[in-house]
Structures are given as structure tokens and as C-alpha cells.
Amino acid sequence: MRTNDKTTLLPGMAVFVRVVEAGSFSAAARQLGTTASAVSRQIARLEQELSLRLLERTTRQLRLNEAGSEFYAHCRAMLDAAEQALAIGERLMSRPHGLVRLSVPKAYGKFVISPLMPDFLRRYADVDVQLHISDQSPDLIEDGFDVLVKVTDQPPEGLAGKPLGPVRQLLCASPAYLQQHGTPQHPQELLRHSCMYLGENAGDNRWHFSNDEQQEVVMVRGRYISNHSEARLEAALGDIGITVLPQFTAAHALTEGRLREVLPQWRYTGSYQGAAWLLWRQNLHLPPKLRVLIDYLSETLAPR
């Protein structure tokens, strides 16, 4: 071989197969949309690089010699393998099919995403979903996920995304707690109550509120601190005190009357604000399996 880069010979190998199967340079040229002289030059270059004569040329026909027959068999197998490889892309891009790996925060995954999965799986029988529920936001590429949900007020650069809707925080308590301790009418009245907060950062017990006219900051305290909304939900249902919960975490208990919203005329403006964003790697050609999941979640959850 006269070159260390064997891949430069691949186009010539494909032309060689076309010449053999077409029976002549001119017939192969017509199929390839080029000239017979251009085809002849490619075959000559291939023979020169291989230091082999592949075709016996006569005025009437081309004939494979022994080396050419063996070389043709390998070139034909190469093209067959290439066609099979291209068929993978055609198959995967023609219909929703295969596994989608989705990562979501714990509470949002349990209360919002997980209940939607049975209907999605019924709609798309050839799409499988691996749902990873964790509050540790993964790296899409390094951790091998196709799509993730992140609650943020500023989606990261370099990713494509759709907002699934705002994440609103509510103050909640059980009816029994409020009956025993009273219902606060102003944020400052929370100073007299047992309040459950995250405890992840030093300022987590500083609750911020606003209405149309003013803002208030209250340094709350309480006997129970947890950095997970589901744990605080269970404690609130156990009559332990007042807590802040994402609306989607509290929704079912509020509907059933097991929780009541506290200070509904005030808007909590503290941590865990923004919107739930569906994020994926920027790609002009999304696989159908990913596209149908993105469309399903965005259409189901996006604000009306």
C-alpha cells in the first residue's frame, strides 16, 4: 500500500463494485452520473495503490482476474455492511422505537411525571422509558440521559428546552393544626407558629413574601426541618406545623381537604422558584422516540 490512510480508497472501492456489476466503465458512469474517463481514472488509482491489476480489459468487455474476483467479494461485503449500517438510521428515524432515558427531580418525578407514564407507554408501544428520579441534576452527555427536567428560573446554555409550566410554592398546614394553633392572616404571624423549612442553606428559614403592595421577610422556626418536600408533606399531614410545598406536591392533599393553603393572598418568593424545564441536547434530527416523549410531556403539562 502506498498510503497509510486506507479510508481514501473507500470511494474507489465502491466505484469498482459498480463497474463490475454494470459490466463497463461507461455503464457505471451513467449510473453514477459522471464520465467514463473519471471512472477509469478511479479504477486506475485503486490498482496503483494496491499494486494489483484487478480487471482484464479487452475491446469488448471487462473481466475480473483472480485478484479482482477476491477483491470484489470484499468490496461487495463492505457495501452490504454500509447499507445495513445506514438502514439502522433509517429504522430508528422512521418511527418511535427504542429506549429513552429521562431524569427528573424527586418530587416532580413522583407527583407529576410518573403518573403520566402509563398513558405514554400505551400510546407508543415500541418506546421504552427509563425514569431516573433524583435531585442530583445529571449531565446529559456524561451520564447518558436523553432528556431531563430541571426546575430553574434560567435554563442552562447549550441545551434545547421547553418550559413545562411554573413551579409555584404554597404555604400549607393541616386543618387540625390550624384549628389548634389558629390561622395566620399576615406573614409576621408565622413567628408564633411551628414552621418546617428545608435546612440546606443558612437562609432557608428566612421566608420571603410579597403581595401587590408590600414585601415581608420572616425568620421562621420549628421543630422539624427537612430538605425534601415529600417529607415535609407527611409532617404537615401529621399536624406538625406550617410548611412551604410546591403546588404539585400539595395538590392532591389540598383537593381532598387534608391540607389547607395558608396566607393565599401572599405569594411566597423564596427558594425553588421558576419553571420546570424539559431539556435535551441540541440536535437538528431528534430520534422519533425522543420527539414523541418531548411532545407528549410539553403538550400535557405546558400552561394552557
Side-chain angles (χ1 to χ4, degrees):
M1 293 290 293
R2 299 180 181 179
T3 176
N4 291 326
D5 186 5
K6 299 181 178 62
T7 60
T8 61
L9 301 181
L10 295 178
M13 294 165 69
V15 170
F16 175 72
V17 170
R18 189 64 65 95
V19 169
V20 172
E21 295 178 352
S24 69
F25 291 154
S26 57
R30 286 193 297 272
Q31 294 177 11
L32 294 169
T34 185
T35 64
S37 59
V39 170
S40 178
R41 285 195 298 271
Q42 283 188 283
I43 301 303
R45 176 176 178 268
L46 189 62
E47 291 179 322
Q48 182 181 10
E49 292 288 347
L50 293 170
S51 298
L52 286 173
R53 189 169 183 82
L54 302 172
L55 294 167
E56 301 299 335
R57 300 162 174 83
T58 68
T59 56
R60 294 186 177 182
Q61 64 177 0
L62 296 174
R63 182 176 60 84
L64 286 170
N65 57 25
E66 182 178 358
S69 295
E70 184 175 351
F71 187 68
Y72 166 77
H74 289 292
C75 291
R76 181 69 263 176
M78 176 198 73
L79 288 182
D80 290 342
E83 290 173 0
Q84 292 174 18
L86 293 173
I88 294 173
E90 182 178 352
R91 173 172 55 83
L92 292 179
M93 296 301 289
S94 62
R95 62 185 177 88
H97 177 271
L99 176 68
V100 179
R101 299 190 69 219
L102 167 64
S103 179
V104 296
K106 285 183 178 178
Y108 197 84
K110 177 177 179 178
F111 291 99
V112 179
I113 299 298
S114 182
L116 299 178
M117 288 298 98
D119 181 57
F120 174 81
L121 295 171
R122 283 190 292 268
R123 290 191 192 187
Y124 301 99
D126 293 325
V127 179
D128 302 329
V129 176
Q130 180 178 346
L131 181 62
H132 178 76
I133 296 180
S134 172
D135 285 334
Q136 300 298 317
S137 185
D139 182 280
L140 280 172
I141 297 176
E142 292 184 3
D143 297 316
F145 287 98
D146 299 297
V147 63
L148 63 84
V149 174
K150 185 179 181 66
V151 177
T152 178
D153 57 0
Q154 185 65 46
E157 295 182 1
L159 295 177
K162 283 186 175 182
L164 297 179
V167 173
R168 191 164 63 96
Q169 300 285 342
L170 307 176
L171 261 67
C172 300
S174 69
Y177 175 87
L178 296 174
Q179 184 176 5
Q180 182 178 355
H181 299 278
T183 300
Q185 301 300 314
H186 189 276
Q188 295 301 328
E189 294 180 26
L190 293 171
L191 294 172
R192 301 196 299 267
H193 286 267
S194 174
C195 296
M196 297 173 284
Y197 54 92
L198 272 72
E200 288 184 332
N201 302 305
D204 281 346
N205 64 330
R206 292 174 59 87
W207 287 2
H208 297 250
F209 301 89
S210 68
N211 61 17
D212 294 336
E213 299 177 353
Q214 61 187 117
Q215 296 184 347
E216 295 284 341
V217 178
V218 183
M219 186 78 73
V220 301
R221 61 181 181 84
R223 296 180 57 208
Y224 188 61
I225 302 167
S226 175
N227 67 342
H228 199 275
S229 62
E230 192 172 354
R232 298 195 309 278
L233 169 64
E234 293 299 327
L237 291 171
D239 311 324
I240 299 301
I242 299 173
T243 191
V244 177
L245 295 172
Q247 188 274 337
F248 56 78
T249 300
H252 191 59
L254 288 169
T255 300
E256 292 183 338
R258 294 185 295 145
L259 285 184
R260 289 181 184 169
E261 186 176 355
V262 176
L263 298 175
Q265 68 274 29
W266 290 82
R267 187 174 75 257
Y268 176 83
T269 58
S271 60
Y272 205 58
Q273 299 293 313
W277 280 80
L278 194 60
L279 303 169
W280 62 94
R281 294 185 295 275
Q282 291 180 341
N283 190 337
L284 293 177
H285 305 289
L286 281 178
K289 64 178 182 179
L290 184 54
R291 169 55 60 194
V292 293
L293 180 60
I294 290 171
D295 290 345
Y296 173 79
L297 292 177
S298 61
E299 290 168 5
T300 304
L301 296 174
R304 297 289 186 254

